[in-house]
């Protein structure tokens, strides 16, 4: 070897295979030590090329992939896998619709506690009751307290509609005061210069004020705290009483509207005859007066279309609404009502105070030919519970709905995939041959139904 030559002679055997090759530079070679050819990595990135921070992060994230992908060339789609996928999709859709329905459904939670408000409140009672065989002129609506005294100060907003036997309305009568007004006749038409006396209440009224009708006089007596029974004997009321033949009209009567009662034990009733109070030395009696012969022609069959205390709330059921009671003659029907104070709170935080009730019925036949008989009519005997119920609406959170949907989707995929692959595995173990047209490899496809080639 020549010391002046910059090349190194190679073995002839090697030179025949690879030809002349440049040897590493020695001596006065212009190349620096270690500066050889650079090896390139796939993709054109040189081994010694510095990566950016973003590329470093991407590389680390790639290592976290728990779902490695299979090359499409190694996957074989099967018909059975497609059928199972369709079935699983239908099941998922059905369960998702069910979850959506549950998410939109509002449920209620109830608690019971002692009612500390035991009086002083006024409660609206909504009533709609129809008598098929008693005319409006013969019916009286009254409110009586637990001691049997009529409550004259009760506010009534009741309309009595006269009905034919076919149920057609032939007229209306407004009732704004105590029940005895219900049996008053149409009265008379006063002359232009007529001015009825207001009797005991005239001193509280402006000069020249007239009480031309029985209703005007009764309202004045109630307003200033006088006994309405005194007004019953006035000229106006005596003149407006119906004649006996007026009761014989073959009509029915629908009584509907609302009245306001105190939150205490008592009753309100619709009964035949004129209501009045019979006073004694130590107590008073609430009585109705009507001729026995006239009573014998009546029938206390009735239908209750509406009866509730306070405002209705979602989900409440009133047991007496829709009740129809048929009779062949007269009877006294008592509905014993236990009223439960109720608070209903909506999902938006608004709440109402209302009432629900339970009821039982008792019936006593009435024989007007006997010496003593119960008053024919319909009586609603009510009392208030010492407990109060509170209902609170509750709706499902969206996060709960989303979690359940995810559980449905994942659960269906996993369970059906396991069942399918278990069936294939059992078949192949039992027969000793591969199941053609079916793929194993759970997890290789959407449901693990794709076969690896």
């Amino acid at each position: 070897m020549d010391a002046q030559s910059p090349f190194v002679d190679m073995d002839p055997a090697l030179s025949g295979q690879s030809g002349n090759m440049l040897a590493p530079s020695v001596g006065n070679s212009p190349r620096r030590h270690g500066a050889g050819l650079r090896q390139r990595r796939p993709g054109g990135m040189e081994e010694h090329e510095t990566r950016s921070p973003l590329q470093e992060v991407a590389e680390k994230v790639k290592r976290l992939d728990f779902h490695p992908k299979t090359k499409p060339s190694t996957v074989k789609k099967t018909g059975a896998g497609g059928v199972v996928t369709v079935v699983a999709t239908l099941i998922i859709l059905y369960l998702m619709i069910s979850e959506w329905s549950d998410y939109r459904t509002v449920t209620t939670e109830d608690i019971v506690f002692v009612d500390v408000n035991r009086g002083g409140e006024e409660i609206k009672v909504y009533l709609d009751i129809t008598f098929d065989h008693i005319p409006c002129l013969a019916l009286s609506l009254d409110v009586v307290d637990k001691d049997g005294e009529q409550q004259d100060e009760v506010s009534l907003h009741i309309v009595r509609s006269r009905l034919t036997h076919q149920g057609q309305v032939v007229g209306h009568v407004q009732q704004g005061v105590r029940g005895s007004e219900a049996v008053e006749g149409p009265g008379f038409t006063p002359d232009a210069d007529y001015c009825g006396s207001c009797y005991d209440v005239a001193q509280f009224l402006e000069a020249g004020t007239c009480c031309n009708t029985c209703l005007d006089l009764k309202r004045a007596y109630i307003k200033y705290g006088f006994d309405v029974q005194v007004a019953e004997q006035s000229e106006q009321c005596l003149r407006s009483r119906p004649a006996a033949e007026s009761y014989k009209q073959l009509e029915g009567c629908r009584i509907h509207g609302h009245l306001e009662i105190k939150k205490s034990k008592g009753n309100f009733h619709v009964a035949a005859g004129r209501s009045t109070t019979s006073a004694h030395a130590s107590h008073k009696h609430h009585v109705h007066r009507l001729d026995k012969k006239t009573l014998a022609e009546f029938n206390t069959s009735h239908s209750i279309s509406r009866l509730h205390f306070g405002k209705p709330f979602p989900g409440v059921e009133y047991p007496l609404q829709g009740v129809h009671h048929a009779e062949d003659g007269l009877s006294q029907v008592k509905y014993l009502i236990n009223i439960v104070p109720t608070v209903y709170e909506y999902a938006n935080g608004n709440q109402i105070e209302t009432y629900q009730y339970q009821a039982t019925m008792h019936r006593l036949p009435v024989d007007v030919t006997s010496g003593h008989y119960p008053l024919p009519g319909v009586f609603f005997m009510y009392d208030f519970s010492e407990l109060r119920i509170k209902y609170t609406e509750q709706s499902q959170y969206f996060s709960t709905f989303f979690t359940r949907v995810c559980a449905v989707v994942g659960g269906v995929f996993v369970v059906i995939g396991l069942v399918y692959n278990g069936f294939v595995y059992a078949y192949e173990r039992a027969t000793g041959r591969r199941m053609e047209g079916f793929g194993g490899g759970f997890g290789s496809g959407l449901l693990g139904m794709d076969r690896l080639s």
Side-chain angles (χ1 to χ4, degrees), residues 63-223:
R63 296 173 184 172
L64 299 177
D65 187 4
F66 292 148
H67 303 280
K69 309 303 183 290
T70 304
K71 292 182 179 181
S73 60
T74 64
V75 177
K76 180 181 178 181
K77 303 290 185 179
T78 63
V83 171
V84 176
T85 300
V86 171
V87 172
T89 303
L90 294 178
I91 294 174
I92 289 173
L93 289 176
Y94 170 76
L95 294 177
M96 288 182 66
I97 293 173
S98 300
E99 291 296 335
W100 175 255
S101 177
D102 290 343
Y103 172 67
R104 299 290 298 173
T105 301
V106 177
T107 59
T108 57
E109 181 183 68
D110 56 276
I111 58 174
V112 181
F113 54 95
V114 177
D115 183 22
V116 296
N117 300 322
R118 295 294 297 166
E121 303 177 23
E122 287 192 351
I123 302 171
K124 286 187 177 182
V125 182
Y126 296 88
L127 174 69
D128 189 344
I129 182 171
T130 300
F131 292 86
D132 299 324
H133 305 289
I134 302 181
C136 289
L137 288 177
L139 288 175
S140 172
L141 172 62
D142 300 274
V143 181
V144 179
D145 63 14
K146 62 181 180 180
D147 297 323
E149 296 186 9
Q150 183 164 311
Q151 302 300 295
D152 294 329
E153 71 278 3
V154 171
S155 298
L156 301 178
H157 305 273
I158 298 296
V159 175
R160 290 173 288 121
S161 300
R162 296 169 53 199
L163 304 175
T164 64
H165 278 292
Q166 290 74 32
Q168 298 177 345
V169 179
V170 295
H172 300 280
V173 180
Q174 184 76 29
Q175 180 174 349
V177 296
R178 49 169 287 169
S180 58
E181 182 220 346
V183 294
E184 292 177 359
F188 77 107
T189 303
D191 298 331
D193 57 347
Y194 174 80
C195 182
S197 173
C198 294
Y199 301 98
D200 297 332
V201 298
Q203 56 182 321
F204 302 101
L205 304 175
E206 295 181 2
T209 301
C210 301
C211 299
N212 291 339
T213 65
C214 181
L215 179 58
D216 293 338
L217 186 60
K218 285 182 177 181
R219 286 174 173 169
Y221 268 60
I222 293 174
K223 180 178 179 180

